[in-house]
Amino acid sequence: MATKLKVVEEYADIVPAPKVPDFTTAPTRKQHAGWTAERQRRFIEHLALTGHVGEACAIVGVASSSAYRLKNKVGAESFSRAWDAAIRLCATRLSAIAFDRALNGRVERHYKDGELVMERRIPSDYLLTWLLSRLDPAQFGSPSAKALAAVAGDPRDAARNELPMLLDQLTDVPLEDCECDSGQGLDERLGEMSDGLVDTSD
């Protein structure tokens, strides 16, 4: 059974969109149809942001099977390399999402007679354990990861040494560059965007 993919073109500002590498667009048979150069660029840009091939295809209005055919087409080597680079770039945003899922969990909704009666967040212990094993291998990693950390050093030590210098390099950002979109507000507790509605229950 076919399912519809809901495409959301507005992204949460957890991580800024990565800079997409320059690439030579693949040749197409028709100038204004199919995989135009502009469509290829938009596909790569969205792929670098989300890592989701199906969603990137929906954004540009082509089938995912067509995208995979183009990736393997003779003459599309630059497009294929840009695709691979975009997948590597999306890890920055996906890691932020992984942390959010591990700590705040996913939302589980329960309905009765078609009405929402309960909503709760379920943190992911598995994801949290996985992140710990990668970020603190000396303590939580596999035996081989612990051995490597013992030889190469704890990656957290390098981060501790580097962070003060990086903090000193931060500069002010003008207030106009920090404005929220219309109808939205900043939840000061979480530092995330909300719907901008004011709670008047008190």
Side-chain angles (χ1 to χ4, degrees), residues 40-114:
Q40 291 177 49
R41 293 189 187 98
R42 288 186 63 208
F43 170 84
I44 294 297
E45 288 172 358
H46 192 82
L47 189 63
L49 187 64
T50 67
H52 195 306
V53 173
E55 188 172 296
C57 287
I59 287 289
V60 301
V62 295
S64 57
S65 58
S66 173
Y68 285 107
R69 281 199 301 272
L70 181 65
K71 188 178 191 303
N72 296 314
K73 181 180 178 181
V74 175
E77 291 79 8
S78 184
F79 173 79
S80 181
R81 288 193 296 271
W83 178 319
D84 295 338
I87 292 297
R88 291 192 295 272
L89 285 171
C90 78
T92 302
R93 184 177 180 84
L94 295 182
S95 63
I97 294 173
F99 273 105
D100 182 66
R101 291 279 178 89
L103 299 173
N104 299 316
R106 59 182 173 81
V107 177
E108 185 178 84
R109 296 181 174 90
H110 296 271
Y111 294 86
K112 184 177 182 180
D113 299 327

Side-chain angles (χ1 to χ4, degrees), residues 35 46 49 109 146 165 194:
W35 280 100
H46 192 82
L49 187 64
R109 296 181 174 90
K146 289 181 179 179
M165 179 184 64
S194 65

Side-chain angles (χ1 to χ4, degrees), residues 5-12 46 49-50 55-56 58-59 93:
L5 175 66
K6 181 180 179 182
V7 178
V8 179
E9 295 199 56
E10 297 178 359
Y11 312 110
H46 192 82
L49 187 64
T50 67
E55 188 172 296
I59 287 289
R93 184 177 180 84

Side-chain angles (χ1 to χ4, degrees), residues 138-153:
Q139 185 169 353
F140 299 104
S142 64
S144 59
K146 289 181 179 179
L148 180 61
V151 174

Side-chain angles (χ1 to χ4, degrees), residues 113-184:
D113 299 327
E115 292 189 8
L116 179 65
V117 294
M118 185 177 73
E119 183 176 287
R120 63 177 180 173
R121 284 189 170 273
I122 305 176
S124 173
D125 291 339
Y126 173 80
L127 188 53
L128 184 59
T129 302
W130 186 87
L131 287 169
L132 279 173
S133 69
R134 297 308 189 275
L135 296 173
D136 189 0
Q139 185 169 353
F140 299 104
S142 64
S144 59
K146 289 181 179 179
L148 180 61
V151 174
D154 191 334
R156 296 179 303 161
D157 290 337
R160 288 191 193 99
N161 294 331
E162 190 178 11
L163 187 58
M165 179 184 64
L166 294 174
L167 290 175
D168 289 340
Q169 294 175 358
L170 297 180
T171 57
D172 293 337
V173 177
L175 185 60
E176 56 269 20
D177 293 341
C178 304
E179 292 180 354
C180 302
D181 294 334
S182 59
Q184 291 187 323

